């Protein structure tokens, strides 16, 4: 039945996006041929109302930063080495009216992203609850999404803004399979194809299957998304749509029963370590359907501009010649009636918790039954957003110095808990944004506010960002203010084990007041592809003042802390290449003045040091090196399976442990073969021997979260193929 429903929904999206089009002609658009882009993102620019203007900023002189408004299909036949240049992909912000920077599929041979994406050097810092595919806690407290059904899986989840959209000249397919000696298996598949000029469809599928080495630690996670996008020949009309489906099945063991046993054991058999739960499972199901449309009411006028160029003759002399450029006209003389857009989104999330032996567990909360526990939590969220912007002149050589964007979004939410209780509310969220060009600088202002008869009523956000771009660097500074209510989970909940209703007790006054100031610098120090030399850095300093905090306390009850705290953060990312030598580093330094409001480790880092060489007349490319991760000790939140949420605890510190991996990746044509020895330093953790009168002893101490040991040494291997025809 679910498959039939998904198929019907796909047909609806197709019918809404199909537009018959003629074969396109050469346009004035420019496509960036850069194969990669920075994976970093700024916390300070997370406001949804700023996506349109930030993605459509003025074009710079750097080719890699040019903005594309369409795909030029006029091309010559390419040989196999250049086929990757026929695949264009981009990520579309939810409110954009222009296609952002276009990329090509990465041909980098590193297998890191295919073992565990959370370990990627430039990804955020996460602590995993037991390994690949498990719930995880982000070390940056400003980005945690605790309290939502799938917020625990945020590092693996896809959403509208990180979904990839494609435009391809020929079909593109990517397949990857990975495994380990511990029966961990992964599969990834991507296929994209244009069924008409400028109308593309793409599908992505990821599967994680993990047996695990501890009792009741198996999982099977499915991630599937389908996307389609179309834009008219003159780029005035565009539509994107898709479906994202997530299905997670995970055994729950609640963690090991005793940390002391784990610290002192020298046994390599993890299945015998006592755990807290022996008959519990969590199942998540989420489906999201979305469509984005925009129409530019301003006709784009082009003109042919001749220019004189000097061409070399056979005798090396120069002669005059004339070339013609097709450009969008200078400042249009017609009335700017702007761009209208409409977004529609529906999301359904469900979590089932099942335990056939609850009396063997220490829940401390019983309200209904103590024989078999079956909890079901369902949420529905429907939203529609109508917006308008005067940013209508696409690739014109004239840029509007003042770009205005605004609209209103309607929200309808419902929550159901085991058929015991439910709630329904709706709200209206007006928003506005303005971008002002001041010489070589840009100033962006964003505001939004929720109007609703619900705790989220009165939520608001304001942000101001100043940006100055140069040829090889950019600088920005700004601040934002937000007033936020707690996630719905903290107000009302009902299950076999836990019940509370805080809406009447808290009212609508308990909110988190957060004020942030930040400075960001991004710079390309040097870049020479021929000599294989580059150095790129990004640094950000953030100061945050916060009054109030929501969390689950040590007794697993929602708590509102009225305290205040300052959080100082310094984050640095760097990418260095000198010939065959490569280094990538990510550093995070934090300090909190109130550990009850912000609990953070003082320092965290991820590093990759590797050699990149070619052999056999460049027929084989080899990358080999080490990845190292570390963070200082702190009181991390613990994970409760029955609530599928993290909670505060004051007994166990985790951290001050070095994680080291070795990797070897081989690239032959479009195939990558990788080998990764993960956490190889675990080999000398469990040692206890005497040699030459000296006693050597070391115990296991690699806990990633309270009660949750990290993975032992494991060997991962896999193959990735990319097909461009």
């Amino acid at each position: 039945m679910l498959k039939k429903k998904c198929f019907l929904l796909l047909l609806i999206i197709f019918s809404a996006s199909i537009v018959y089009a003629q074969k396109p002609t050469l346009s004035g658009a420019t496509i960036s041929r850069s194969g990669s882009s920075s994976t970093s993102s700024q916390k300070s620019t997370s406001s949804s109302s700023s996506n349109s203007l930030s993605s459509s900023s003025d074009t710079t002189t750097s080719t890699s930063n040019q903005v594309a408004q369409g795909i030029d299909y006029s091309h010559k036949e390419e040989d196999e080495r250049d086929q990757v240049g026929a695949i264009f992909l981009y990520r579309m912000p939810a409110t954009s009216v222009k296609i952002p920077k276009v990329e090509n599929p990465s041909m980098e041979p590193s297998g890191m992203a295919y073992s565990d994406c959370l370990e990627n050097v430039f990804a955020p810092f996460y602590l995993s609850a037991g390994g690949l595919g498990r719930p995880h806690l982000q070390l940056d407290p400003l980005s945690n999404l605790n309290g939502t059904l799938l917020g625990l899986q945020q590092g693996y989840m896809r959403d509208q803004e990180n979904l990839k959209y494609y435009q391809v000249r020929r079909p593109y397919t990517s397949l990857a399979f990975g495994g380990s000696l511990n029966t961990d298996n992964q599969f990834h598949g991507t296929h994209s194809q244009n069924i008409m000029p400028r109308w593309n469809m793409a599908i992505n599928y990821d599967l994680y299957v993990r047996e695990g080495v501890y009792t009741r630690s198996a999982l099977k996670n499915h991630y599937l998304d389908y996307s389609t996008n179309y834009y008219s020949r003159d780029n005035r009309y565009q539509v994107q749509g898709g479906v994202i489906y997530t299905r997670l099945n995970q055994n729950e063991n609640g963690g090991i029963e005793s940390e002391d046993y784990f610290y002192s054991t020298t046994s390599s058999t993890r299945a015998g370590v006592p755990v807290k739960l022996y008959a519990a499972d969590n199942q998540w199901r989420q489906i999201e359907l979305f469509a984005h449309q925009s129409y530019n009411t301003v006709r784009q006028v082009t003109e042919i501009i001749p220019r004189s160029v000097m061409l070399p003759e056979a005798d090396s002399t120069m002669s005059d010649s004339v070339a013609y450029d097709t450009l969008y006209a200078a400042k249009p003389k017609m009335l700017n009636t702007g761009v209208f857009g409409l977004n529609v989104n529906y999301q359904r999330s469900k979590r089932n918790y099942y335990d056939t032996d609850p009396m063997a567990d220490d829940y401390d909360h019983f309200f209904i039954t103590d024989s078999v526990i079956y909890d079901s939590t369902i949420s529905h969220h429907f939203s529609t957003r109508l917006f308008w912007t005067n940013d209508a002149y696409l690739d014109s050589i004239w840029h509007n110095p003042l770009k205005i964007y605004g609209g209103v979004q309607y929200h309808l939410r419902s929550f159901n808990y085991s058929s015991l209780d439910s709630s329904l509310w709706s709200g209206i969220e007006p928003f506005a944004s303005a971008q002002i060009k001041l010489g070589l600088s840009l100033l962006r202002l964003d505001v939004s506010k929720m109007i609703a008869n619900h705790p989220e009523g009165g939520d608001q956000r304001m942000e101001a960002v100043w940006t100055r771009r140069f040829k090889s660097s950019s600088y920005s500074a700004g601040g934002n203010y937000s007033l936020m209510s707690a996630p719905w989970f903290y107000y009302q909940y009902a299950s076999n084990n836990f019940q509370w209703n805080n809406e009447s007790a808290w009212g609508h006054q308990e909110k988190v007041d957060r004020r942030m100031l930040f400075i960001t610098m991004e710079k390309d120090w040097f870049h020479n592809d021929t000599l294989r030399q580059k150095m790129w850095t990004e640094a950000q300093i953030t100061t945050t003042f916060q009054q109030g905090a929501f969390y689950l306390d040590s007794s697993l009850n929602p708590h509102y802390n009225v305290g205040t705290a300052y959080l100082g953060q310094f984050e640095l990312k760097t990418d260095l290449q000198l010939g065959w030598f490569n280094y990538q580093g990510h550093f995070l330094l934090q300090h909190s003045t109130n550990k009850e409001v912000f609990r953070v480790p003082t320092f965290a880092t991820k590093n990759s040091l590797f050699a990149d060489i070619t052999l056999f007349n460049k027929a084989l490319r080899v990358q080999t090196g080490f990845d190292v991760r570390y963070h200082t000790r702190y009181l991390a939140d613990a994970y409760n399976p029955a609530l599928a949420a993290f909670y505060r605890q004051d007994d166990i510190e985790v951290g001050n442990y070095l994680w080291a991996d070795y990797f070897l990746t081989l690239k032959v044509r479009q195939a990558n073969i990788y080998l990764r020895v993960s956490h190889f330093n675990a080999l000398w953790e469990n040692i206890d021997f005497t040699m030459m009168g000296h006693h050597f002893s070391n115990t296991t101490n690699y806990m990633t979260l309270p009660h949750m040991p990290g993975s032992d040494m494991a060997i991962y291997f896999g193959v990735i193929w990319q097909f461009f025809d």
Side-chain angles (χ1 to χ4, degrees), residues 73 198 301 358 643 685:
Y73 281 84
R198 304 181 307 280
V301 179
L643 283 172
E685 290 299 321

Side-chain angles (χ1 to χ4, degrees), residues 36 46 55 73 79 142 154 162 190 210 239 241 255 274 397 475 488 490 517 574 602 621 634 651 693 723:
S36 62
S46 59
S55 66
Y73 281 84
D79 59 33
L142 304 181
Q154 57 181 306
N162 63 29
T190 296
R210 186 172 188 265
V239 58
I397 59 177
Y475 302 87
W488 61 270
Y490 290 88
L517 297 175
T574 184
T602 302
R621 184 176 175 186
Y634 83 112
D651 302 320
F723 306 94

Side-chain angles (χ1 to χ4, degrees), residues 102-114:
V102 175
E103 305 171 10
N104 303 122
S106 174
M107 295 295 289
E108 289 297 310
S110 175
M112 178 188 303
Y114 300 97

